[in-house]
Amino acid sequence: MKKTSVIAGGLTIAGLLPFVFSAGCIVFFNSGVPVTNLLMAFVSYGAICLAFWGAVQWGLSLETDRAILVAGAESRDVVRLLLGVIPAALAWLAICLAFLWSAVMAVALLAVAVPLQGLAERAGWRRGMLPRGYMGLRWIAVAVMESCLLVVLMARLF
C-alpha cells in the first residue's frame, strides 16, 4: 500500500469525525442545547463535504498530462465538470434551505444528494474515469455520512 493511500484513508476518517460528532450531539444532547445551531453546523459541514467531492471531479477534468489518452476524453471532461458543479449547487441549496426554511429539509436534501453523487462517481469509476482505490474510500465516506444524515433526520422528524 502506498504511503499516500494510507494518508488519504486517515484523512478521510478524520474528515468524517466532525460529521459524526455533530450527529451525535444532535441526537443525544438534552433539550437545553440549541439544536438549531447544531443542525446548521451539521448541514454546513455536509454541504462542504458534498462540494469537496464535486471539486475532486473538477480537478480531474483539468488534469493536463494524462497517462492514457482515450477516445472521447473531451466528453468525459464535460461529465466531470458537471459532476464538479452540480454537488456544489446542491450544497448551496441545502445551506439556503437550512437558513431560510427548514434545517430538517436541508438534511433530507443532503441525504438524497450524498448517495447520488456516490452512484454517479461509481458509474465513472466503472468506465475508468477515477483512480484505483478512490471508490473504496468514497464508499466509506458515503456510508458514514448517509448513516449520520438518516439518524439525524429520523431523530428530528419523530
Side-chain angles (χ1 to χ4, degrees), residues 33-118:
V33 177
V35 174
T36 304
N37 293 341
L38 289 172
L39 272 170
M40 298 306 247
F42 183 73
V43 167
S44 297
Y45 194 70
I48 289 168
C49 291
L50 185 62
F52 174 78
W53 289 329
V56 169
Q57 299 303 318
W58 185 273
L60 288 171
S61 73
L62 298 176
E63 185 180 32
T64 55
D65 25 319
R66 298 172 197 247
I68 301 170
L69 293 176
V70 294
E74 254 184 61
S75 65
R76 284 184 175 194
D77 288 343
V78 170
V79 171
R80 280 185 172 155
L81 288 171
L82 286 172
L83 283 175
V85 172
I86 292 171
L90 290 173
W92 174 81
L93 182 59
I95 290 172
C96 286
L97 275 174
F99 278 100
L100 301 175
W101 187 37
S102 166
V104 174
M105 291 307 295
V107 173
L109 173 63
L110 289 173
V112 171
V114 166
L116 285 179
Q117 174 72 9

Side-chain angles (χ1 to χ4, degrees), residues 7 10 13 18 26 28 31 36 54 60 78 81 88 93 122 124 126 140 145 153-155:
I7 293 171
I13 301 302
I26 291 166
F28 296 115
S31 61
T36 304
L60 288 171
V78 170
L81 288 171
L93 182 59
R122 182 181 181 271
R126 291 182 71 180
I140 291 168
M145 280 191 70
L153 197 57
M154 297 303 277

